[in-house]
Amino acid sequence: MTDDLVRRAAALRDQLHEHIYRYNVLNAPIITDAEYDRLYHELVALETEHPELVTPDSPTQRAGSDLSEEFPKVTHPAPILSLSNAFSEDDLRAWEERNLKLLPPGTQLDYTLEPKLDGLTIVITYENGVLTRAATRGNGEVGDDVTPNVRTIRSVPLRIPARTDGPAAPERLVVRGEVLFHKDDFQALNRKQEAEGLPRYVNARNTASGTLKQKDSRITAARPLTAYIYQIVESVGMTWDKQWDILGYLRDLGFKTPPGAGFYPTLSDIIPQLPTWESHRKDLPFEIDGIVIKVNDLRVAAELGIVGKDPRGATAYKFPSQEATTRLIDVAVNIGRTGKVTPTAQLEPVFVGGVTVTSASLHNYDQVAKLDVRLGDTIVIKRSGDVIPYVVGPVIGARDGSEQPILPPETCPYSSDAIVQPEGAVDYYCPNPLCPERVFRSIEFFVSRGAMDIEGMGPQTVMTLIEQGIIMDESDIFYLKAEPLLELEGFAEKKVENLLASIAAAKNRPLAQFLASLGIDGVGSTVAGLLADHFGSIEALTITARAVREAETAFATAAQPLIQTAEQIPAEEQESVERGLARLRHPLVELAPRYLGVPDFKDRLARALTPLLDNHPFSAAILDDLTATLRQLIQAAEKPLTIEGLGPILVDNVVTWFADDFHQRILEKMRAAGVRMEAEAKVMHSDSLAGLTFVLTGTLPTMSREEASALIEAHGGKVTGSVSKKTSYVLMGESPGSKADKARQLGVPIISEDDLKRLVSGG
Ligand code: IVH
């Protein structure tokens, strides 16, 4: 053994001691749990290889325990074991090899695969089918009695059979599982915290642990924990041969078992599942930190025995860590096509989840303030799946006082216009539609794949054309001529020819596709499809938008006297005043949807505007004006507001966009250039798909989504956005989303573009 190894082990011990102290005593960790794990496992690996390196004070010699003095103790009927880890396919193969060597020659191993739920262990005892005791893992031998708290968890049956036709439990049954927060429950909990002016919880697992260890079980009851059960620790009078059967039995008894668990005849069948689980991890309703692989044959698993606290018959494949700490060097300001200002964290490069990351999203300045992130901070970043890494929060314990607050910019870095924050908005905006960056972003989006799909016009080309003054907005694209292009660097004749052909083809895109390309906030392909179906032309949308805007202006005039006197109302009525003001300022969103189809809403409107109206001397006349102008507004906005799937905020966005003169001038220029602005007449070719409902996912080999939808509709079929039991087929292309998984779950047949063509032709 070399001195290097001795030194490395000592260094690891020192670092781990420091981090343990910071985490447990100071409550101010400076590294993530994942990084701690990495250091810890490096030490375990060193010590396993060279047992002489183990010192009595090594952190590995401390039996893990989460015991607290505040709870009575429960002795577990059998040790509550832990799991060894594997970090690669090689580790898993080596694990199997080691096991096979301990077993009679020729033994074949089959396995179960279960998600490794990122919560905390719970051990629950049932006597004659009644829940009598529930305990934490503690030190593995003895745990804290948290029975009253576990009783509040609704997914834990208080008695078995949990349902009338279920099997009875053995006389004594002890099960083990995992308690956690579902992601949406955790988010809801944080929204509640925020609404009460309390700090947000950062980590779901720690919060679940804190929740389970409340002295007052009413607090636990108010927080929606969920429990999944995967093991039988003890059962009197019953035995099982296979882990796979245990999962089925637990389900029959009325427990939730780890969703997605599966049986696999060999390890080679498990390997391809690992990347699938990793990439879909973000779509699961709960956090997982890996996959547990268990020898299915329980007798064999028992024969394999235990090393330390880890049974040989199971192992945890851990995903590459997704969290890392690094330093925030700078904040870049991005301006989007709507003018929205987005701060992006510029980081000291850090390796996380298999890639080197140098920037991370900060969402908006509201979020920056909430997280209290400062320039120069050590921060935790997280990368889940393919999404852009984001900043989880600062490591407060690592501050030295030199950190600087991060504030929104006062002016736009591209146009120098003063940045504005519209009333009630979270975001800041560059208000100038001619801002060069906004223009660039809109055009870049307009021509992109999935929008107008103009080939040969990547971001670099768009930038060059803007810089050369050849295009100033989207409409100029349709007036491009060969000459000025040929003079640009890198634009050979063939390239220009192709580009112009692609632009000519784009003039004829379906109306829905055109609408989705305009970059209206919230108008993607689904909403664009609804607008195209219900309005049928850009002109019809413009007429409606202008009528709505006109009615809004009339309403605003009628509301003016009330808004002006709002300040004189006593402070104790502040809240109702604010609510009334919001209604007066945004009648399209706040009032019109409520009174749609209500012939006489005057009295209701009067109530919705107390106390504003009560405090005005001319309230009767004002109410008359408001009623009349609101009626005008409802009439004008009735059509978009009654489209199913189009909420009032979206309607407001659409109206704002189409009522804008700047946008109208661009549309006018496009119309003059021959861009199609009407829906294609719907021709019915056959009714071969009548009564069938389709959902599209992924990129199809030859058709765009719009073309596929048009084909389905032309043959009498229907296209909807989400998969349900009523869906007849899911049409799947390359890189499908979660809709394909949903289809598999529900047993909805999945078909290809070719299958669709066969169906259409009656095949
Ligand atoms: S089996 C001997 N199965 O992971 C059986 N554990 O790192 C050992 N965990 O303490 C546990 N999901 O809290 C098992 N499907 C699963 C699990 C799981 C999460 C946790 C468990 C354990 C930890 C080990």
Side-chain angles (χ1 to χ4, degrees):
M1 190 180 38
T2 65
D3 283 354
D4 278 357
L5 291 183
V6 177
R7 267 197 299 272
R8 181 64 192 152
L12 285 168
R13 281 198 303 272
D14 288 351
Q15 284 180 38
L16 285 165
H17 281 307
E18 164 84 12
H19 292 312
I20 291 168
Y21 166 74
R22 283 187 162 275
Y23 187 97
N24 294 287
V25 182
L26 300 183
N27 248 333
I30 55 169
I31 57 170
T32 62
D33 293 358
E35 276 170 297
Y36 176 86
D37 281 351
R38 195 158 45 70
L39 296 172
Y40 187 86
H41 288 298
E42 188 184 337
L43 183 58
V44 171
L46 268 181
E47 291 179 350
T48 315
E49 195 118 326
H50 306 283
E52 61 279 24
L53 285 176
V54 179
T55 60
D57 71 339
S58 170
T60 61
Q61 301 306 298
R62 193 202 308 255
S65 165
D66 61 3
L67 292 178
S68 143
E69 290 184 359
E70 296 184 47
F71 292 92
K73 298 292 164 273
V74 177
T75 303
H76 300 305
I80 297 304
L81 299 172
S82 192
L83 287 172
S84 62
N85 289 321
F87 296 96
S88 63
E89 179 184 341
D90 286 350
D91 288 357
L92 286 176
R93 298 266 184 216
W95 167 67
E96 179 171 72
E97 281 305 310
R98 281 196 304 276
N99 285 342
L100 286 174
K101 276 193 195 135
L102 296 169
L103 295 167
T107 308
Q108 301 262 339
L109 293 174
D110 56 7
Y111 298 97
T112 66
L113 174 159
E114 297 165 27
K116 184 165 178 337
L117 305 158
D118 195 10
L120 45 137
T121 290
I122 189 78
V123 181
I124 313 175
T125 305
Y126 290 85
E127 280 164 293
N128 297 315
V130 178
L131 188 160
T132 50
R133 178 89 36 86
T136 64
R137 175 177 179 278
N139 60 15
E141 313 264 325
V142 177
D144 282 330
D145 184 339
V146 288
T147 313
N149 293 343
V150 171
R151 283 214 174 98
T152 70
I153 304 175
R154 286 161 191 260
S155 43
V156 173
L158 291 181
R159 57 135 227 254
I160 299 172
R163 41 164 223 268
T164 36
D165 55 345
E171 187 185 317
R172 189 179 148 77
L173 173 75
V174 183
V175 295
R176 170 185 183 174
E178 203 79 357
V179 173
L180 45 74
F181 279 113
H182 275 189
K183 288 175 190 166
D184 51 0
D185 288 333
F186 187 61
Q187 272 166 12
L189 182 63
N190 265 334
R191 276 197 297 276
K192 208 166 117 199
Q193 285 287 109
E194 252 168 32
E196 289 167 14
L198 298 168
R200 291 171 61 86
Y201 296 108
V202 183
N203 179 298
R205 187 175 181 281
N206 292 349
T207 312
S209 169
T211 302
L212 200 60
K213 295 204 169 186
Q214 287 294 325
K215 282 307 282 176
D216 181 348
S217 63
R218 282 171 303 184
I219 299 180
T220 316
R223 300 186 194 162
L225 287 169
T226 303
Y228 290 95
I229 305 297
Y230 49 72
Q231 200 193 353
I232 293 181
V233 180
E234 190 188 18
S235 64
V236 171
M238 270 180 107
T239 51
W240 287 266
D241 294 337
K242 310 280 169 174
Q243 168 66 10
W244 186 237
D245 295 339
I246 288 192
L247 291 175
Y249 178 68
L250 288 169
R251 237 182 338 263
D252 287 346
L253 288 181
F255 293 104
K256 264 178 180 294
T257 57
F263 164 79
Y264 293 87
T266 71
L267 189 62
S268 297
D269 298 305
I270 300 248
I271 304 292
Q273 299 301 319
L274 305 176
T276 311
W277 275 91
E278 194 179 340
S279 62
H280 287 296
R281 175 179 184 184
K282 59 180 187 308
D283 307 319
L284 295 172
F286 40 71
E287 298 280 356
I288 63 174
D289 57 344
I291 296 295
V292 183
I293 299 143
K294 299 180 181 171
V295 169
N296 187 34
D297 189 317
L298 297 170
R299 225 172 328 207
V300 172
E303 202 179 319
L304 283 169
I306 297 166
V307 223
K309 295 174 285 147
D310 307 334
R312 286 201 185 84
T315 195
Y317 170 81
K318 295 282 251 330
F319 297 133
S321 130
Q322 294 196 308
E323 274 190 9
T325 46
T326 184
R327 247 169 59 86
L328 173 62
I329 326 174
D330 199 3
V331 173
V333 174
N334 297 307
I335 306 290
R337 58 177 195 264
T338 58
K340 187 151 97 186
V341 181
T342 314
T344 305
Q346 307 295 303
L347 313 170
E348 237 161 51
V350 58
F351 195 69
V352 49
V355 295
T356 301
V357 166
T358 55
S359 64
S361 171
L362 278 163
H363 302 295
N364 55 49
Y365 287 93
D366 213 39
Q367 174 83 352
V368 171
K370 252 187 223 154
L371 296 175
D372 185 25
V373 193
R374 304 180 194 173
L375 272 186
D377 260 338
T378 299
I379 54 170
V380 178
I381 64 156
K382 184 162 181 164
R383 187 177 166 265
S384 27
D386 305 329
V387 296
I388 303 167
Y390 63 92
V391 175
V392 178
V395 180
I396 308 279
R399 281 193 179 150
D400 65 8
S402 67
E403 298 76 16
Q404 293 299 314
I406 299 166
L407 298 171
E410 281 173 11
T411 56
C412 170
Y414 299 93
S415 71
S416 307
D417 288 282
I419 293 293
V420 296
Q421 185 180 34
E423 221 184 87
V426 188
D427 289 302
Y428 291 79
Y429 289 86
C430 165
N432 183 357
L434 297 174
C435 163
E437 184 67 6
R438 283 186 60 176
V439 169
F440 168 63
R441 296 281 173 206
S442 332
I443 300 180
E444 182 194 30
F445 176 75
F446 183 73
V447 300
S448 65
R449 256 198 108 179
M452 289 297 263
D453 204 359
I454 299 182
E455 244 166 86
M457 218 169 164
Q460 197 48 55
T461 305
V462 171
M463 188 50 102
T464 310
L465 295 178
I466 294 176
E467 276 169 3
Q468 297 293 320
I470 299 175
I471 57 174
M472 254 115 55
D473 60 49
E474 292 87 334
S475 66
D476 294 330
I477 294 168
F478 300 103
Y479 293 89
L480 279 177
K481 295 268 178 317
E483 289 79 52
L485 293 177
L486 286 167
E487 280 166 32
L488 299 176
E489 212 183 287
F491 282 73
E493 204 151 316
K494 190 70 198 158
K495 181 169 167 182
V496 170
E497 210 175 281
N498 289 343
L499 177 59
L500 294 180
S502 177
I503 291 170
K507 289 184 183 171
N508 254 324
R509 299 281 184 242
L511 181 63
Q513 194 174 346
F514 179 63
L515 277 167
S517 309
L518 295 173
I520 306 168
D521 233 0
V523 182
S525 58
T526 311
V527 173
L530 292 172
L531 291 173
D533 282 351
H534 287 83
F535 284 90
S537 72
I538 294 293
E539 193 184 354
L541 272 163
T542 303
I543 291 172
T544 296
R546 286 189 168 145
V548 171
R549 217 0 79 84
E550 197 180 312
E552 278 182 317
T553 312
F555 183 89
T557 311
Q560 203 47 40
L562 285 191
I563 295 177
Q564 268 164 5
T565 50
E567 278 171 24
Q568 293 154 19
I569 300 172
E572 63 266 24
E573 301 202 67
Q574 195 56 32
E575 218 172 289
S576 332
V577 169
E578 288 301 330
R579 214 173 317 130
L581 284 177
R583 288 170 181 159
L584 289 175
R585 289 195 177 113
H586 307 286
L588 178 59
V589 174
E590 304 283 342
L591 292 172
R594 300 179 177 209
Y595 305 135
L596 259 177
V598 181
D600 190 9
F601 54 76
K602 187 168 157 182
D603 292 344
R604 286 178 58 185
L605 179 62
R607 279 196 297 278
L609 295 176
T610 46
L612 287 167
L613 270 173
D614 317 341
N615 281 282
H616 202 284
F618 305 120
S619 58
I622 294 174
L623 181 60
D624 281 341
D625 278 357
L626 287 173
T627 310
T629 49
L630 183 57
R631 188 163 287 131
Q632 184 193 342
L633 177 62
I634 292 172
Q635 210 168 30
E638 181 171 358
K639 187 164 175 178
L641 283 176
T642 46
I643 298 176
E644 210 189 331
L646 212 68
I649 294 184
L650 266 176
V651 172
D652 191 29
N653 289 349
V654 172
V655 164
T656 306
W657 200 93
F658 279 96
D660 185 313
D661 288 338
F662 176 74
H663 295 143
Q664 282 298 333
R665 275 198 297 279
I666 295 180
L667 288 173
E668 218 22 75
K669 271 166 66 187
M670 290 200 216
R671 186 195 307 281
V675 176
R676 196 241 296 262
M677 298 206 173
E678 276 91 36
E680 42 301 350
K682 286 215 164 139
V683 229
M684 286 293 286
H685 292 299
S686 82
D687 55 5
S688 54
L689 305 182
L692 299 178
T693 307
F694 293 76
V695 172
L696 276 50
T697 180
T699 315
L700 298 171
T702 71
M703 282 192 249
S704 71
R705 291 169 85 86
E706 286 71 22
E707 285 165 341
S709 302
L711 180 70
I712 291 168
E713 281 163 6
H715 292 272
K718 236 175 80 180
V719 178
T720 63
S722 57
V723 183
S724 74
K725 279 196 201 130
K726 291 192 194 136
T727 310
S728 319
Y729 295 102
V730 167
L731 176 57
M732 185 173 85
E734 210 169 298
S735 320
S738 57
K739 288 175 192 170
D741 298 333
K742 186 81 190 283
R744 282 186 204 109
Q745 264 171 30
L746 296 177
V748 174
I750 297 179
I751 60 167
S752 67
E753 185 184 305
D754 282 345
D755 297 332
L756 173 68
K757 288 178 184 156
R758 270 194 289 278
L759 276 177
V760 163
S761 54

